[in-house]
Amino acid sequence: MLKGFGAKLKALFGMSSFDEQYFETLEDFLIEGDLGAKLAMDVSDAVRKLAKSAKSKTQRDLQLLVKSHLEDKVSVFSHELDEKMPTVFLILGVNGVGKTTSIAKLANYYQRQGKQVLLAAADTFRAAAIDQLEVHAQRLGCRIVKQKNGSDPGSVVFDAITSAQAKKEDLILVDTAGRMHNKENLLRELSKIDKIVKGRGIDDAHYKKFLVIDSTTGQNGISQAELFNQAVALDALILTKYDSLAKGGALVQIGEKLHIPIAYVGTGETYADMHPFDKDEFLDTLVGLTD
């Protein structure tokens, strides 16, 4: 998994000649991999110093050096459900990133832990989104709260929380509209949902906002994270298409610029293909330390 970028970086570090052209090539490659100009320059300079030092260095030495420069840019988010009150996961993301499918995978992930999960169809702008979520609910055997197409998303969220509280369910996964909003409309819509969630007695520890990002989108993923984070403080990212990631540097940039951790990764097509993010695995593969 995560092949491409890491394999090319590994090959670059396998070269024996370290002239200035080499370091320019390395810097260009890191920028193309969406690490950003500043971080690419920092990494290239560090590699230059090691390569030109008297100390013996191997391909692995260079890979580990790059990994050390990236480790503090990427962090992991984890959250444990408890029985005090339902936890609300507000799932955000633009159309086409796999948001609704990710919700179904998350539902399955927590069901396998013995948790009672409720789906809330708050993407009321597309009838197909409601229908798709209902199909997932039927297949997973979990409840869904929905209203007719065009209904107020906040009303769906209110009904879902009220219902989950009454039935003592553990987790509410809220699907939201995937349109690319401008910041003002996004802020207005999410602020309304925020007020409804908190008005039902859900505290911050039980209310988390996740942005779903297609791992292969590069700079588009960065701009999406910036927009949604400005509108509502994101708690973490959920990555889709993680097994075909080409430009992992974008995720490093999101961590460096926005300090948003990564929580889960979708690695395939089945419901079971949702896993907690493994930082070491990601960085090792990004710099070519794993095949």
Side-chain angles (χ1 to χ4, degrees):
M1 62 191 304
L2 306 182
K3 296 185 184 297
F5 184 88
K8 292 178 181 178
L9 189 60
K10 182 177 182 179
L12 192 60
F13 285 152
M15 297 174 65
S16 57
S17 175
F18 299 108
D19 56 16
E20 283 307 309
Q21 181 61 46
Y22 172 89
F23 296 109
E24 289 180 11
T25 301
L26 173 61
E27 190 172 320
D28 289 344
F29 175 71
L30 295 173
I31 292 173
E32 290 171 7
D34 285 324
L35 276 178
K38 182 181 181 302
L39 187 55
M41 187 179 299
D42 290 344
V43 171
S44 180
D45 285 346
V47 172
R48 178 187 282 103
K49 289 177 182 177
L50 179 60
K52 292 188 174 182
S53 70
K55 177 183 176 183
S56 175
K57 58 271 179 184
T58 65
Q59 178 190 69
R60 183 176 177 82
D61 290 332
L62 298 175
Q63 291 170 291
L64 289 172
L65 176 66
V66 175
K67 179 181 178 181
S68 71
H69 274 264
L70 303 182
E71 279 186 310
D72 65 343
K73 315 297 183 188
V74 181
S75 58
V76 180
F77 176 91
S78 62
H79 181 78
E80 296 293 332
L81 305 185
D82 62 41
E83 300 176 356
K84 295 178 181 177
M85 65 176 72
T87 295
V88 177
F89 282 3
L90 190 66
I91 311 299
L92 309 160
V94 301
N95 285 332
V97 296
K99 178 165 52 65
T100 305
T101 303
S102 294
I103 289 172
K105 291 178 179 179
L106 275 177
N108 176 261
Y109 175 80
Y110 280 101
Q111 282 180 321
R112 285 185 280 122
Q113 297 180 26
K115 303 300 183 182
Q116 295 296 314
V117 180
L118 173 66
L119 306 185
D123 181 356
T124 60
F125 294 95
R126 291 190 309 122
I130 300 173
D131 294 341
Q132 183 184 5
L133 199 65
E134 187 167 26
V135 169
H136 287 308
Q138 292 171 351
R139 290 174 177 172
L140 291 165
C142 61
R143 292 199 312 122
I144 182 173
V145 170
K146 63 175 185 173
Q147 295 182 11
K148 65 181 181 180
N149 186 39
S151 299
D152 177 14
S155 177
V156 176
V157 174
F158 180 92
D159 287 350
I161 295 174
T162 302
S163 180
Q165 288 172 330
K167 294 182 177 293
K168 300 187 183 304
E169 287 165 315
D170 302 295
L171 178 63
I172 306 165
L173 295 171
V174 181
D175 194 10
T176 60
R179 303 165 302 165
M180 179 56 92
H181 301 64
N182 62 45
K183 188 172 70 171
E184 290 73 23
N185 287 342
L186 179 63
L187 179 59
R188 188 179 307 114
E189 187 172 303
L190 295 180
S191 293
K192 182 175 181 179
I193 292 176
D194 275 344
K195 291 178 181 177
I196 289 171
V197 173
K198 294 173 182 177
R200 295 302 301 159
I202 306 296
D203 60 27
D204 289 343
H206 297 81
Y207 176 36
K208 303 299 177 183
K209 308 172 194 73
F210 295 87
L211 179 65
V212 179
I213 288 185
D214 180 332
S215 299
T216 66
T217 57
Q219 291 291 323
N220 285 336
I222 298 171
S223 61
Q224 289 166 23
E226 288 177 332
L227 174 66
F228 279 93
N229 197 50
Q230 287 172 0
V232 56
L234 296 171
D235 290 291
L237 303 179
I238 297 171
L239 309 179
T240 60
K241 303 179 185 177
Y242 184 72
D243 54 340
S244 59
L245 180 61
K247 293 187 174 182
L251 304 177
V252 178
Q253 270 208 77
I254 291 172
E256 181 182 34
K257 296 170 73 174
L258 304 177
H259 309 292
I260 302 173
I262 303 171
Y264 303 100
V265 295
T267 58
E269 300 300 322
T270 73
Y271 286 142
D273 292 327
M274 180 65 76
H275 310 281
F277 175 68
D278 187 321
K279 176 179 174 177
D280 275 332
E281 179 189 15
F282 167 72
L283 290 175
D284 284 350
T285 311
L286 184 65
V287 302
L289 281 166
T290 57
D291 295 330

